[in-house]
Amino acid sequence: MRIRTAGLVAVLLTLFPLVSSAADAAESADSTDHWDLNSIYESAETWQADASRAEKQFADLAKCKGKLSRSAKNLRECLELRADIEKRLARLESYAAMQLDEDTSVAENLALTQQYSLLATRYQEASSFVRPELLAAGKAKLNGFFKQDAKLKPYRFPVDNILRAKPQVLNAAGEKLSATPEPSEHTPGPIAGATSGPRVPGAATPHVTGAQ
């Protein structure tokens, strides 16, 4: 009997370190297996501050309407603003979606994705004039602007893409109408896009940087 007891104790002593190591590993995973979102936004409050900046930029972008073909300077300033908005929205989307991925049961996380979805919809509506105005300006005039202003070079490829898509581009009224989603589209999904939340055209989410 003593031999059996001693053997059982020896087995338990052998297993204890394994159980302890597994528990430690699980605890470590619980504490570290999260997105590091500080490189995007330090908190939900800084996310909200950047969302407010995006709202203000929508109003600034609206002032570009009817001015894209006036001069190379006007075109560059408006395209720079549009690009900055898209980068900001990409950061906002990344943070909101990753927060939701961490815990879908937290109401605040869902609220952020819904707020981003509305921001993206507003951006699509605010920028709907850009493609029709570039097409109305024509390739020859835009080429002249690119020759006049070297700082327009980063926007050459997206502008050329718009010009190549001319048969598919609607007029200003049609573009604005197509940018306005049905009410059901205001419900965003996780980052994989499981539902029909609007996405920012041309705004890639990888390699996001901190808020500016």
Side-chain angles (χ1 to χ4, degrees):
M1 182 66 178
R2 290 180 178 177
I3 295 176
R4 290 182 179 178
T5 302
L8 179 60
V9 170
V11 171
L12 291 175
L13 289 175
T14 301
L15 292 176
F16 180 77
L18 297 177
V19 175
S20 178
S21 297
D24 292 343
E27 182 178 353
S28 177
D30 288 341
S31 62
T32 61
D33 191 18
H34 291 80
W35 296 110
D36 181 10
L37 301 179
N38 287 333
S39 61
I40 309 176
Y41 295 106
E42 294 180 357
S43 65
E45 288 72 24
T46 55
W47 188 97
Q48 291 290 351
D50 217 27
S52 296
R53 292 189 190 96
E55 292 271 8
K56 294 176 181 177
Q57 285 183 309
F58 296 160
D60 293 336
L61 185 61
K63 297 176 184 177
C64 289
K65 189 173 183 178
K67 300 178 181 178
L68 295 182
S69 62
R70 288 187 181 179
S71 67
K73 181 175 181 291
N74 278 349
L75 178 62
R76 173 174 51 81
E77 289 176 349
C78 291
L79 292 181
E80 287 174 345
L81 174 60
R82 182 171 176 257
D84 191 61
I85 292 174
E86 291 189 352
K87 287 188 291 185
R88 176 162 282 109
L89 289 177
R91 290 195 299 266
L92 291 167
E93 181 194 23
S94 294
Y95 183 91
M98 290 180 188
Q99 283 280 55
L100 185 63
D101 283 345
E102 283 189 357
D103 194 340
T104 57
S105 66
V106 177
E108 289 79 4
N109 293 347
L110 180 60
L112 285 183
T113 61
Q114 291 173 333
Q115 186 176 349
Y116 165 76
S117 180
L118 294 174
L119 282 171
T121 298
R122 285 203 57 202
Y123 167 69
Q124 290 174 344
E125 294 172 352
S127 63
S128 61
F129 69 91
V130 173
R131 293 194 297 173
E133 284 198 21
L134 291 178
L135 289 172
K139 186 174 182 179
K141 189 170 190 176
L142 293 175
N143 283 343
F145 288 164
F146 278 100
K147 291 178 181 179
Q148 293 172 30
D149 192 338
K151 293 181 180 179
L152 275 170
K153 185 177 180 179
Y155 308 104
R156 181 86 221 201
F157 182 73
V159 168
D160 283 347
N161 272 346
I162 290 174
L163 294 175
R164 281 194 291 268
K166 184 173 183 177
Q168 288 77 41
V169 177
L170 305 173
N171 59 24
E175 286 287 319
K176 186 171 183 180
L177 181 62
S178 67
T180 306
E182 295 296 325
S184 61
E185 291 182 344
H186 285 233
T187 303
I191 197 168
T195 61
S196 55
R199 302 295 297 272
V200 182
T205 55
H207 310 298
V208 291
T209 57
Q212 297 177 347

